[in-house]
Amino acid sequence: MKDLFFRENVLDILDYLEEGLHIIDKNGIIVYYNKFAQGIDGIDREKVIGRHLLEVYPSLTDETSTLLTVIRTGEPLYKKEQTFINYKGEKITTINTSIPIKSKGRIVGALEISKDITTVRQMSEKIVELQDKLYNKKQKPSTKKTNESAEYTLLDIIGEDKEILRLKSIVLKAGESDISVLVSGDTGTGKELFVHSIHNVSHRSSKPFITQNCAALPANLLEGILFGTIKGGFTGAEDRPGLFELAHGGTLFLDEINSMPLELQSKLLRVLQDGNIRRVGATNTIKVDVRIIAATNIPPEEAIEKRQIRKDLYYRLNVLSLEIPPLRERKGDIPILVNYFINKFNKKFDKKVENISNEVLNIFNNYDWSGNVRELEHLLEGIIGISDKKILEVEDLPYKFKKYKKETIQNLSLTEILETTEKEIIKEALGKTDNNITKTAEILGIPRQTLQYKIQRLKL
């Protein structure tokens, strides 16, 4: 085992990492630099080894360098954002985890793992810039909807289930006030439809509606996107408004808020309490008028138990709660949803599908729909897109749906019903034992020879 980990072998392995790896000694001299780090910085590592960190990264300082900070404090830094200018004049942003290296209690160096998020930052900043142009306060007020407005209304929420109708009525009442709303539900249940609808029935409907998925960005980057930045606040920072400023007068939808780091949740809580935000690096505050709607993809109580949501933030957000039921709990809506999606995709693909067969409807009623309404939509989109039929049959469904087919028994004799049932039970038992005859016979409690006879008779 030890022979596998010679120094040369370990260094070769580190070159295959998809993160940058730096190691410096206690004096700040670079002693190791892997290939991925070379790619991030655009520097040949032969020109880096043996030089001081600040000589290679002149845009950094003792205070802004995460590696030198670790050497100075002796404390590790986890997922810390760092922006610097490389030798090509390119602004690079990384998320760094930096750890001091100690020997006999003394710091002898530091190791840093860096993830390049430059492209992610550029894209997110571009989005903020575009939103800034759309909602620049210097523009004349307009009631015309823009692409950044809430797209969906209550008419887009399809279903006659009692719970869905109850939630729709709550949405109408929610539109009469500015209270915070917490929406929960499994992925694909339609949380976004309800959030959009709340905005569109409110007095803020002509004002900005801005969405941010909290799971899409690293913590430090998300903070700058939400609250904005000031020039000089940190290396590479520019004067840039955050989403709270852009959503002024309107609604900010924070999706998957249970993915937001807890320390950032505390800052969000302060905004909810006093309506003031502070840009990253700034000392002054800015007053904002923003309605917050948040969503979780797991039950809020579970998120609290898992320490994904602060209790105090939960109580502040949960002034009004909407829990969207999964499709498996509203199967009476399946025929209505099927009809809606057939009409939608007939227009999209220029098809003439009229309906699904009763067998297909039975399968849909027996299926668990883990992907909810979105799964049903995508399923029908795929089938209708390639179908030339008027009625969709069982053979048009993907293979995984076939096991949910239930034989109709109204025209079968008792012997046929028993044979069909026996066949299904044996097939299921064989599947559990990977077709092991002896084990299957034990499970079924019958002799091995009897099982073999039944397999031959039933043509399994």
Side-chain angles (χ1 to χ4, degrees):
M1 183 69 174
K2 292 182 179 180
D3 294 339
L4 294 174
F5 292 99
F6 286 125
R7 182 177 182 277
E8 294 79 3
N9 295 351
V10 172
L11 296 182
D12 286 340
I13 292 169
L14 294 178
D15 272 338
Y16 285 95
L17 291 177
E18 293 188 359
E19 286 87 21
L21 181 65
H22 290 78
I23 300 176
I24 62 172
D25 66 16
K26 63 180 181 180
N27 298 314
I29 303 300
I30 299 172
V31 297
Y32 181 74
Y33 188 76
N34 75 345
K35 279 187 178 179
F36 198 87
Q38 176 179 304
I40 293 175
D41 303 339
I43 309 173
D44 291 335
R45 57 178 164 182
E46 289 77 13
K47 298 180 180 179
V48 169
I49 305 298
R51 301 175 71 173
H52 193 275
L53 189 72
L54 297 184
E55 184 185 1
V56 177
Y57 302 97
S59 64
L60 295 175
T61 66
D62 283 317
E63 288 72 31
T64 59
S65 165
T66 45
L67 268 172
L68 294 179
T69 298
V70 164
I71 290 287
R72 186 175 65 255
T73 65
E75 298 295 329
L77 294 173
Y78 299 104
K79 296 182 179 179
K80 180 76 172 177
E81 182 179 332
Q82 179 176 266
T83 299
F84 61 92
I85 309 298
N86 69 9
Y87 269 106
K88 296 180 181 179
E90 299 167 331
K91 185 189 292 185
I92 306 296
T93 302
T94 57
I95 295 292
N96 301 338
T97 292
S98 313
I99 304 169
I101 301 172
K102 298 181 180 180
S103 176
K104 297 179 181 179
R106 301 180 64 182
I107 296 175
V108 296
L111 176 150
E112 182 169 272
I113 300 171
S114 304
K115 184 174 183 179
D116 186 8
I117 61 164
T118 304
T119 303
V120 176
R121 172 178 275 284
Q122 289 172 346
M123 290 177 65
S124 60
E125 289 180 348
K126 189 65 177 177
I127 291 171
V128 172
E129 287 173 1
L130 291 172
Q131 290 171 328
D132 191 19
K133 290 177 182 178
L134 284 170
Y135 299 120
N136 193 306
K137 295 177 184 177
K138 296 178 183 178
Q139 292 179 341
K140 294 180 180 179
S142 171
T143 57
K144 184 179 179 182
K145 298 282 185 183
T146 70
N147 289 333
E148 291 295 322
S149 296
E151 179 181 354
Y152 306 109
T153 68
L154 285 171
L155 292 176
D156 295 300
I157 301 173
I158 309 302
E160 298 175 2
D161 179 83
K162 286 184 180 180
E163 182 61 14
I164 292 297
L165 295 179
R166 187 185 75 85
L167 291 173
K168 281 187 174 185
S169 68
I170 293 176
V171 167
L172 288 172
K173 294 175 183 177
E176 299 172 359
S177 68
D178 286 334
I179 57 176
S180 300
V181 183
L182 184 60
V183 183
S184 61
D186 296 344
T187 299
T189 50
K191 297 188 293 293
E192 192 174 3
L193 298 179
F194 284 89
V195 173
H196 282 224
S197 297
I198 292 171
H199 176 79
N200 276 329
V201 299
S202 73
H203 67 90
R204 298 174 180 265
S205 59
S206 62
K207 300 297 176 65
F209 175 84
I210 295 179
T211 298
Q212 178 60 54
N213 188 310
C214 299
L217 297 171
N220 292 342
L221 187 53
L222 180 60
E223 181 179 3
I225 294 300
L226 289 176
F227 300 109
T229 57
I230 63 166
K231 191 171 185 177
F234 54 87
T235 306
E238 301 289 343
D239 286 323
R240 198 181 305 278
L243 296 185
F244 271 99
E245 290 178 66
L246 299 184
H248 181 72
T251 303
L252 179 59
F253 172 37
L254 300 175
D255 197 8
E256 296 192 47
I257 195 167
N258 50 303
S259 297
M260 179 184 286
L262 295 178
E263 64 270 18
L264 194 52
Q265 290 185 26
S266 65
K267 296 184 179 181
L268 174 61
L269 179 62
R270 286 199 295 272
V271 179
L272 287 167
Q273 290 171 337
D274 58 28
N276 293 316
I277 61 108
R278 181 183 285 115
R279 290 187 181 184
V280 177
T283 55
N284 63 305
T285 60
I286 302 171
K287 189 75 175 176
V288 291
D289 171 25
V290 178
R291 182 185 199 169
I292 299 295
I293 303 179
T296 66
N297 55 4
I298 62 173
E301 297 78 10
E302 182 182 338
I304 292 173
E305 188 177 332
K306 292 181 176 179
R307 295 183 55 79
Q308 294 178 357
I309 292 183
R310 292 172 55 110
K311 277 189 178 181
D312 47 7
L313 178 62
Y314 165 71
Y315 295 132
R316 189 65 182 80
L317 285 173
N318 200 42
V319 179
L320 179 63
S321 175
L322 296 181
E323 186 175 351
I324 316 303
L327 185 54
R328 64 180 175 273
E329 293 180 7
R330 46 179 288 221
K331 289 190 175 179
D333 280 342
I334 288 178
I336 302 170
L337 289 164
V338 167
N339 183 63
Y340 174 80
F341 290 133
I342 285 177
N343 291 332
K344 176 180 178 178
F345 296 124
N346 274 343
K347 292 176 182 177
K348 179 177 180 179
F349 300 118
D350 192 24
K351 299 290 184 177
K352 296 181 179 179
V353 176
E354 295 177 359
N355 210 334
I356 59 175
S357 69
N358 288 332
E359 279 190 304
V360 171
L361 180 58
N362 286 335
I363 289 175
F364 283 1
N365 284 329
N366 287 308
Y367 184 60
D368 59 3
W369 297 108
S370 58
N372 295 293
V373 178
R374 185 181 297 145
E375 183 181 4
L376 175 61
E377 179 181 8
H378 291 168
L379 171 68
L380 290 173
E381 182 178 15
I383 296 173
I384 294 171
I386 61 173
S387 177
D388 293 319
K389 297 180 178 180
K390 289 188 176 182
I391 304 296
L392 301 179
E393 303 287 352
V394 175
E395 57 264 26
D396 299 313
L397 299 177
Y399 179 77
K400 70 174 184 177
F401 285 87
K402 305 296 173 65
K403 66 180 180 180
Y404 292 92
K405 180 180 178 182
K406 302 294 182 183
E407 297 287 345
T408 54
I409 64 174
Q410 57 187 9
N411 296 320
L412 297 179
S413 67
L414 179 60
T415 301
E416 289 172 326
I417 294 171
L418 292 173
E419 185 175 285
T420 300
T421 303
E422 185 178 38
K423 186 174 182 178
E424 289 300 318
I425 292 172
I426 293 174
K427 277 177 65 176
E428 186 176 346
L430 285 168
K432 290 180 179 178
T433 63
D434 197 21
N435 293 319
N436 185 300
I437 302 297
T438 302
K439 290 182 179 179
T440 302
E442 291 175 0
I443 290 175
L444 297 173
I446 60 177
R448 190 174 186 277
Q449 293 83 356
T450 302
L451 176 59
Q452 287 179 320
Y453 165 74
K454 288 181 179 293
I455 290 173
Q456 291 174 353
R457 180 171 62 82
L458 297 171
K459 298 179 180 179
L460 291 172

